[in-house]
Amino acid sequence: MSEKRHSRKYDSTGRQEQAARTRAHVIAVAGRLFAAKGYAATSMRAVAAGAEVSLETVVSTGRKADLLLAAFAAQFAGDPDALSLRSLSPPADPTRPLVLDAVVGDLVGQIVPRVADSMGIWRALRVAAEQDAAVAAARRDQARHRRADIVTHIRALEQAGLVARRTPAERRALADSLGLVLSHDSYDQLVVVCGWRPAAYRRWCAATLVALLRAGWR
């Protein structure tokens, strides 16, 4: 009797793992199609064909807008369910003294390659937000989460004594400024449009972030 219960538990775990792998595969294929063809030109049937699964399987993963958002999160943060800058922060090294330039440099080194890798899906997301109210609302929600994450980073730097303490309103304004510097928009303008080398862009990001963080230092 106990063997049967163990078998059912094992089978259930196996099905859940298989479902998770299928979902990740569908999201990855959808992301490639959105990046290559755009949001409007990518149908749920095309995703099903590309992933070699049934249309029902794709539909069970979510709406088209859900697939786009999950694909963007997966390409940028490596997790289709949680787009968080905190998840990209390098682990603290207790043997290394905290220096603002080094902390910012580490973060830039983590984020810029992910920005570069997800430019195609970001363009699809930006266009989709102009056409689909659900995508536009989700994009605004992402911006709020991004601001909250950056505010968390700012507070940590304040507590470490690396930057001046600010009021909550000042932190939010600073977070929005930092987010704009280290964004797909700035990468698109400076690297893609203006032709900057990625290394030069990283140096600009780091220097600009440090300057903004130090502004108002007492």
Side-chain angles (χ1 to χ4, degrees):
M1 189 74 174
S2 61
E3 291 182 358
K4 291 183 178 179
R5 285 198 298 270
H6 178 75
S7 177
R8 285 197 295 270
K9 181 179 180 181
Y10 177 82
D11 290 343
S12 175
T13 301
R15 286 195 296 271
Q16 291 174 356
E17 291 175 348
Q18 179 59 46
R21 286 194 295 269
T22 299
R23 179 173 181 269
H25 174 60
V26 168
I27 289 171
V29 170
R32 290 195 293 270
L33 290 174
F34 286 135
K37 301 172 61 177
Y39 183 70
T42 300
S43 67
M44 298 290 269
R45 289 188 182 278
V47 174
E52 298 183 335
V53 298
S54 68
L55 179 60
E56 290 73 16
T57 297
V58 175
V59 171
S60 70
T61 303
R63 299 172 303 129
K64 184 176 173 180
D66 298 328
L67 285 178
L68 175 64
L69 294 165
F72 175 72
Q75 287 197 19
F76 179 70
D79 183 348
D81 298 313
L83 179 56
S84 171
L85 289 175
R86 278 174 284 184
S87 69
L88 302 180
S89 301
D93 182 352
T95 67
R96 180 182 175 188
L98 286 176
V99 178
L100 182 61
D101 297 68
V103 171
V104 171
D106 285 344
L107 191 61
V108 168
Q110 287 277 316
I111 294 179
V112 169
R114 294 172 182 266
V115 169
D117 290 343
S118 57
M119 284 300 296
I121 190 71
W122 169 77
R123 292 190 185 96
L125 179 63
R126 184 180 60 181
V127 172
E130 299 172 354
Q131 304 168 349
D132 189 314
V135 177
R139 196 177 183 207
R140 289 192 295 270
D141 192 50
Q142 283 183 346
R144 286 191 291 270
H145 284 294
R146 180 178 173 87
R147 172 195 277 175
D149 283 347
I150 298 174
V151 165
T152 297
H153 280 292
I154 294 170
R155 290 176 63 89
L157 293 173
E158 290 175 357
Q159 292 167 3
L162 297 181
V163 301
R165 290 189 177 274
R166 292 172 169 84
T167 66
E170 289 171 340
R171 285 192 201 103
R172 289 192 294 272
L174 177 59
D176 291 339
S177 299
L178 299 177
L180 179 60
V181 172
L182 196 55
S183 68
H184 291 81
D185 293 277
S186 70
Y187 187 95
D188 185 54
Q189 176 64 29
L190 296 178
V191 177
V192 179
V193 177
C194 296
W196 285 26
R197 292 182 180 277
Y201 173 75
R202 287 194 297 271
R203 290 194 297 271
W204 172 82
C205 280
T208 305
L209 293 175
V210 168
L212 288 169
L213 285 164
R214 283 182 173 151
W217 176 264
R218 299 291 188 272

